[in-house]
Amino acid sequence: MLALWADGKFAESRELGRRVLPSALDQGETMSLAATVEFLSWVACAEQDHEHAAILLGGSTALWRQVGTTLWGVRALTNLRTETENALMLRLGAERFTQVYAHGTKLEVSELVNIACGHGQRTASSPPPDVVNGSALGPLTPREREVADLIVEGLTNRQITERLVTSKRTADTHVEHILTKLGVTSRVQVAGLVDRPKPAEDRAALDA
């Protein structure tokens, strides 16, 4: 499947992946599910099906967490994953990408497989409730929100430690919890949720 994708044979790669997924699900082969959903995300991205690709990328991330490693720790594959993530973020915008990606991480495996196979809802039709209500950080504690704001500023964990006068281990734990609760895997995605554009009226007030 990966070879077909690399050779630009996207339709063939997609069909092969969709044939593999049902049997992998029946047999409980988490690693096979993770890899296949991952590669189907790359195919969807290559075919400009960006929201579908983001959902699948999020779903594969949840599966890789169960495996305990992402793409077997192979740097070349990890780099390709990063390229796909960056392309999706560019096309969808950081905020929308993070919303759709997070939606994918929360899907039941059977539902994820159904979507990956071309059935069911292929995109996240609306943002999660917390985002609709004006806050993408609903699951976070006040302290975690404070840490999230520092992540947006570009601070490293060590710098967060110094700013909050806490231990490095505590800062590491806060960051890990933030990523898990928001269903994201990178600090850039956290920034996409936190650093939201101001409404037009707010911008006008600032410009006045």
Side-chain angles (χ1 to χ4, degrees), residues 113-163:
V113 168
N114 194 43
I115 291 171
C117 287
H119 310 299
Q121 188 171 319
R122 292 165 48 82
T123 62
S125 58
S126 61
D130 287 330
V131 177
V132 172
N133 293 334
S135 173
L137 307 180
L140 304 187
T141 66
R143 186 62 159 178
E144 288 168 348
R145 290 178 182 229
E146 187 176 2
V147 173
D149 286 335
L150 296 178
I151 290 174
V152 173
E153 289 184 28
L155 272 63
T156 66
N157 287 12
R158 186 167 299 282
Q159 290 170 326
I160 291 173
T161 296
E162 296 171 356
R163 179 76 66 87

Side-chain angles (χ1 to χ4, degrees), residues 95-110:
E95 183 176 342
R96 182 58 180 168
F97 168 76
T98 302
Q99 292 166 3
V100 179
Y101 176 97
H103 174 70
T105 67
K106 295 175 175 63
L107 293 172
E108 295 292 334
V109 179
S110 58

Side-chain angles (χ1 to χ4, degrees), residues 2 5 34 37-39 41-42 45 53-65 69-71 74-88 97 101 105 184-186 189:
L2 181 59
W5 168 82
V37 172
E38 174 86 30
F39 298 148
S41 171
W42 298 4
C45 182
I55 286 179
L56 297 185
L57 194 65
S60 70
T61 298
L63 291 168
W64 285 121
R65 285 175 183 162
T69 182
T70 301
L71 290 164
V74 178
R75 180 175 296 180
L77 294 178
T78 301
N79 289 342
L80 289 171
R81 175 184 235 270
T82 300
E83 289 177 9
T84 298
E85 180 178 308
N86 290 342
L88 292 174
F97 168 76
Y101 176 97
T105 67
V184 299
T185 58
S186 74
Q189 292 173 36

